[in-house]
């Protein structure tokens, strides 16, 4: 360091570092600090052993073995009809609030944990354990649950868990997701779906008797051009990706009797996505009408947009700000959404019960790569990323404990969720 300069803390920083934590957050902070030595190697193991959706066997075994070692938890391996789903429950035996944390596990093909699901699992495990310990010490009624959810990357593991009853009688569901751009408990994600279209025509020689043919490729081209033209009238937050997946074979001197295409659609809300889907399907049908071909349209349901609960978010923000050394970027203003272009199956849960999906920024890699990049895969393994995840776990546990101890809070959370659902359906 150059001796000509003297560095001092800002007054605000000094105040933050010296101010003791209050209420149950103080105990949560100490508990997770002590837990870190056990979670860090588990985090590294998961990151070093990336597994694709519904094949997360090593991660499943590592996490369930760890939870079985924790006193007071009942663990079910291979839960809800899926080999790699699991559930851990801390049950006080008395009726009370039920808070669920989701632990994702799957990695990306060819990229490993470039979406940071190792960190998501660590946040949920740490937060759930801290919540349960606080519930135990304060002798509060209710249950704390961790659901190990496979195949978030396109496999819809949470949807399958939901359909199998994983969130029945659950009051709130909590999760987090790392990135490099946002710290926010008010994350809105996009809804998405995918479609495929198969056109069937009639082959004929293009020189000898083309009038006897029905050109399936022309049908696909008409649909492609129709979708391209439609983009001019779509909203800024709409996304349409379209591709010709089969151009009718390798011969150019024949009328093609088969062609196929696919489209991926994203929109800010599920109701608007439905409108966009109807328009794209109309373009696919128009191709068939224009050429005389027949078309078969297959819709693969995707994920709903995530609707964050602002009451849960306010509780998280309170605890996040109370802890010292608040990292950048700052949280959004109270009630302000953070819009993210990606999609998650947590969105489907948010339409069934109150949800919070916390976005948190980890120290970026040298290329400032965002999720789904090799650079982010490296960043998600660092100790700095793990430390940030533990901070998120502390604030999330504080939020969960608030649900148990703050009079009327759970009722307020549920009332806000009902208002959000009414508003979402009216858009």
């Amino acid at each position: 360091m150059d001796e000509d300069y003297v560095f001092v803390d800002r007054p605000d920083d000094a105040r933050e570092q010296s101010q003791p934590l209050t209420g149950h957050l103080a105990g949560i902070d100490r508990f997770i600090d002590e837990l870190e030595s056990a979670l860090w190697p588990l985090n590294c193991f998961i990151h070093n052993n990336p597994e694709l959706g519904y094949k997360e066997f090593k991660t499943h075994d590592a996490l369930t073995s760890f939870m079985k070692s924790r006193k007071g938890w009942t663990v079910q391996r291979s839960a809800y009809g899926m080999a790699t789903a699991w559930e851990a429950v801390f049950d006080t035996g008395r009726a009370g609030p039920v808070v669920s944390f989701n632990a994702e596990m799957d990695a990306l093909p060819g990229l490993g944990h470039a979406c940071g699901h190792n960190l998501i699992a660590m946040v949920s495990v740490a937060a759930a354990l801290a919540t349960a310990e606080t519930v135990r010490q304060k002798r509060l009624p209710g249950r704390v649950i961790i659901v190990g959810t496979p195949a978030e990357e396109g496999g819809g593991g949470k949807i399958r868990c939901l359909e199998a009853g994983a969130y029945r009688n659950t009051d709130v569901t909590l999760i987090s997701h790392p990135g490099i751009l946002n710290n926010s408990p008010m994350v809105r994600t996009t809804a998405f779906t995918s479609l495929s279209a198969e056109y069937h025509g009639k082959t004929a020689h293009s020189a000898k008797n083309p009038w006897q043919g029905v050109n399936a490729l022309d049908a696909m081209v008409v649909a492609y051009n129709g979708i391209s033209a439609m983009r001019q009238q779509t909203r800024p937050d709409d996304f349409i990706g379209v591709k010709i997946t089969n151009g009718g074979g390798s011969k150019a001197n024949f009328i093609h009797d088969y062609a196929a295409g696919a489209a991926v659609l994203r929109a800010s809300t599920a109701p608007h996505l439905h409108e966009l889907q109807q328009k794209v399907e109309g373009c696919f049908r128009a191709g068939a009408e224009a050429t005389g071909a027949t078309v078969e349209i297959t819709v693969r349901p995707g994920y709903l947009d995530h609707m964050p609960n602002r009451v849960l978010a306010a509780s998280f923000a309170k605890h996040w700000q109370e802890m010292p050394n608040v990292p950048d970027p700052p949280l959004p203003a109270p009630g302000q959404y953070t819009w993210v272009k990606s999609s998650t199956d947590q969105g489907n849960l948010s339409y069934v019960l109150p949800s919070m999906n916390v976005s948190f920024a980890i120290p970026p890699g040298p290329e400032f790569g965002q999720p789904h990049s090799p650079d982010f895969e490296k960043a998600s393994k660092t100790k700095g990323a793990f430390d940030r995840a533990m901070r998120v776990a502390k604030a999330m546990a504080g939020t969960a404990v608030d649900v148990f101890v703050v009079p009327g809070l759970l009722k307020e959370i549920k009332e806000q969720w009902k208002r959000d659902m009414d508003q979402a359906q009216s858009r």
Side-chain angles (χ1 to χ4, degrees):
M1 180 181 295
D2 193 324
E3 295 181 357
D4 290 338
Y5 295 89
V6 176
F7 292 89
V8 297
D9 290 332
R10 292 180 302 170
D12 289 346
D13 290 341
R15 178 188 58 79
E16 283 186 345
Q17 292 169 9
S18 61
Q19 186 175 8
L21 299 179
T22 60
H24 49 260
L25 185 60
I28 289 169
D29 181 67
R30 289 191 299 270
F31 179 85
I32 292 181
D33 282 349
E34 294 172 358
L35 189 64
E36 284 187 17
S37 61
L39 291 183
W40 170 244
L42 183 58
N43 172 72
C44 292
F45 175 84
I46 295 171
H47 190 279
N48 292 339
N49 292 273
E51 301 166 295
L52 301 183
Y54 297 119
K55 297 180 180 179
E56 310 97 328
F57 299 109
K58 293 180 181 178
T59 301
H60 166 277
D61 291 349
L63 289 170
T64 54
S65 295
F66 178 80
M67 290 307 303
K68 277 181 172 290
S69 72
R70 309 301 300 188
K71 185 178 179 180
W73 287 83
T74 301
V75 180
Q76 181 182 357
R77 301 175 187 259
S78 299
Y80 300 108
M82 288 168 278
T84 55
W86 57 276
E87 184 179 72
V89 180
F90 182 90
D91 192 345
T92 66
R94 292 174 293 152
V98 181
V99 177
S100 174
F101 298 84
N102 288 325
E104 294 181 5
M105 299 174 286
D106 58 322
L108 291 161
L111 286 172
H113 277 293
C115 207
H117 290 190
N118 55 303
L119 298 173
I120 296 173
M122 291 302 96
V123 170
S124 289
V125 168
L129 288 171
T131 302
E133 178 62 16
T134 308
V135 166
R136 184 191 68 80
Q137 290 182 1
K138 294 180 176 292
R139 299 183 179 180
L140 301 170
R143 286 184 293 152
V144 182
I145 301 173
I146 309 174
V147 182
T149 57
E152 188 275 339
E153 298 291 351
K158 294 183 194 65
I159 299 172
R160 289 184 59 182
C161 287
L162 174 67
E163 292 171 346
Y167 303 96
R168 188 178 297 124
N169 302 320
T170 299
D171 291 310
V172 299
T173 174
L174 308 176
I175 196 171
S176 63
H177 202 295
I180 64 170
L181 299 178
N182 303 300
N183 289 313
S184 174
M186 281 287 286
V187 174
R188 292 292 305 272
T189 61
T190 59
F192 96 95
T193 193
S194 58
L195 300 83
S196 61
E198 293 184 283
Y199 291 96
H200 296 274
K202 182 181 179 182
T203 190
H205 196 281
S206 58
K208 295 179 180 179
N209 57 337
W211 57 89
Q212 293 181 347
V214 176
N215 200 320
L217 179 57
D218 280 350
M220 183 64 233
V221 170
V222 168
Y224 186 100
N225 290 334
I227 294 170
S228 295
M230 186 184 71
R231 286 193 181 100
Q232 185 183 37
Q233 284 80 46
T234 56
R235 300 189 334 193
D237 51 359
D238 292 338
F239 170 83
I240 305 173
V242 62
K243 176 184 179 181
I244 297 176
T245 57
N246 189 311
S250 59
K251 295 182 179 180
N253 60 334
F254 276 84
I255 303 299
H256 303 291
D257 64 349
Y258 179 82
V264 175
L265 316 178
R266 295 185 190 273
S268 58
T269 66
H272 182 62
L273 178 67
H274 179 71
E275 295 176 10
L276 192 63
Q277 177 182 325
Q278 295 299 108
K279 293 178 181 179
V280 172
E281 288 186 20
C283 291
F284 280 133
R285 287 192 296 270
E289 290 288 332
T291 60
T294 60
V295 63
E296 298 174 11
I297 300 173
T298 302
V299 179
R300 181 187 175 190
Y303 299 160
L304 302 182
D305 54 297
H306 181 260
M307 179 64 70
N309 187 279
R310 66 187 63 237
V311 181
L312 287 169
S315 176
F316 179 92
K318 174 187 66 177
H319 296 298
W320 179 265
Q321 296 297 135
E322 183 179 345
M323 288 184 286
N325 306 316
V326 178
D328 286 330
L331 298 183
Q336 178 181 321
Y337 291 130
T338 298
W339 293 91
V340 177
K341 290 289 186 181
S342 58
S343 304
T344 172
D345 51 3
Q346 184 76 15
N348 293 65
L349 302 189
S350 74
Y351 275 75
V352 178
L353 73 164
S355 171
M356 182 174 68
N357 178 21
V358 177
S359 179
F360 65 98
I362 65 172
E367 299 176 8
F368 288 82
Q370 295 192 44
H372 291 220
S373 71
D375 192 55
F376 191 82
E377 188 273 341
K378 296 181 180 67
S380 67
K381 186 186 177 180
T382 63
K383 188 60 165 58
F386 177 80
D387 291 343
R388 191 63 53 83
M390 292 300 97
R391 181 189 180 92
V392 176
K394 293 173 183 179
M396 189 176 288
T399 303
V401 174
D402 281 350
V403 174
F404 286 89
V405 301
V406 177
L409 183 64
L410 183 55
K411 180 181 178 182
E412 186 181 354
I413 290 167
K414 291 184 175 182
E415 289 175 349
Q416 180 62 53
W417 177 80
K418 291 178 182 178
R419 289 193 293 269
D420 290 338
M421 292 302 99
D422 291 340
Q423 184 178 7
Q425 296 302 324
S426 65
R427 290 178 179 176

